[in-house]
Amino acid sequence: MKILVIGSGGREHALCWKLAQSPKTSALYAAPGNPGIAQAATCLATADYLAAAESIDADLTVVGPEAPLAAGIVDQFRAKGRPIVGPTQAAARLESSKVFAKEFMLRAGIPTARFAAVNTPEEARAALQEFDFPVVLKADGLAAGKGVIVANTAAEAEQAVTQLMAAGSKLVLEEFLAGEEVSFIVLSDGVNVLALEPTQDHKTVHDGDTGPNTGGMGAYCDGRILDHFQQSEILAQVIHPAIQHMRAEGQPFTGFLYAGLMMTPRGPKVLEFNARLGDPETQVLMHRMQSDFVEALFAAAHGTLDESDLTWRPEPSVCVVLAAAGYPGSVRTGDAVRGLDRITGATVFHAGTRLDNNVLVTSGGRVLGVTARGETLASAIENTYREVAPISFAGMHYRTDIGRKGLKRW
Ligand code: AMP
Ligand code: GLY
């Protein structure tokens, strides 16, 4: 099978790394890809993804990032009869519009934080009266995980309103939920659901969950993150109602549905839906997945997911993101990356890298994702950080506590 992966980040590198291992893959391409992906796939330097798929006569296309989904890539491919894994533009609104997602959850009876959607700063100020502190403020459009502010005081809330509404976007105000966050991702063909293992992301830039939010500074995948009861609860209260209601509303959801959940004392509540795989969740998922993923992806694109199954290695996996100077603010790029030739016990997924006269340099906020497994979560953490040590670039920073929260379950 000729497979095309859309995207250029660590998530897409992990996907390509996994798909390249399948005997079902006869040729693997990525558009646009990155220097790490180029080790596993042929990179096509184009933003015209349909033309790329047609030029290689792709049997299957898998979309990584949200932007092409929100722009309607799946509708475009389907109109030409090209199999693709991902939601239509309408279904991708579960991610691309916070207001749509919250109103959908209300209609479908999916547990989520109480909210108000507002259109102007004046409406925001009035609505703030209805919430206690801390309160959560979310910009309506896609923001790469950075459009959310938790305000602890009225002054902070006022500043957040000004900052988030500067572009004139709508805003969602939300009740603050306390608990542990879990990323629960499923693959769906619009009817059937295939759950991936639970993962946990680390959203903020600094250790101890402090500092501003990022796209994700690291993740781990460990079957113990959720027990059997919690998994059934999530499927019954969140995933199945979402898939059923999208179908009932005439917008069946196909592709990866990612529920960002807060596990509260009163059960799971949805913080957000994403219409795609997570980054860096995919890095740890692909590292732990034992089965051939091509079969499940093919089934998802052809509506036969009921016949699929996935198996997982028992060992937990951990991914530590190495970020560039300035991230998650404006980042400096062009710094030489050193030490990758000294890595022996981890897989290093490239995200923001490029080749500059044959020298690997930084080219984005999240530069690399160092990923490894271990017999226990503690050893997976140790194995990963051991392989972080030889890598360096000017301004490099990373969290030193990825996965620690999970140790209490061992
Ligand atoms: P979102 O993009 O909606 O997932 O928000 C980004 C991050 O903000 C989440 O991963 C949480 O860490 C935090 N967050 C979002 N909504 C809430 C909420 N209602 N209560 C507490 N934290 C939240
Ligand atoms: N890691 C969070 C996300 O992919 O949205």
Side-chain angles (χ1 to χ4, degrees), residues 144-181:
K146 291 170 254 171
V148 175
I149 294 175
V150 178
N152 291 297
T153 62
E156 282 178 24
E158 176 58 36
Q159 201 187 353
V161 167
T162 311
Q163 185 182 328
L164 295 174
M165 296 192 97
S169 102
K170 291 186 191 174
L171 201 65
V172 170
L173 307 181
E174 221 176 78
E175 156 201 18
F176 178 85
L177 298 174
E180 213 175 308
E181 272 186 73

Side-chain angles (χ1 to χ4, degrees), residues 98 102 113-114 136 138 145-150 174-178 181 201 203-204 213-214 258 260 262 270-274:
K98 299 263 185 212
K102 293 296 284 191
R114 185 170 67 82
V136 185
K138 304 184 176 186
K146 291 170 254 171
V148 175
I149 294 175
V150 178
E174 221 176 78
E175 156 201 18
F176 178 85
L177 298 174
E181 272 186 73
D201 188 13
K203 303 260 171 163
T204 68
N213 270 333
T214 71
Y258 165 140
M262 191 67 90
V270 176
L271 296 175
E272 65 167 343
F273 280 123
N274 291 319

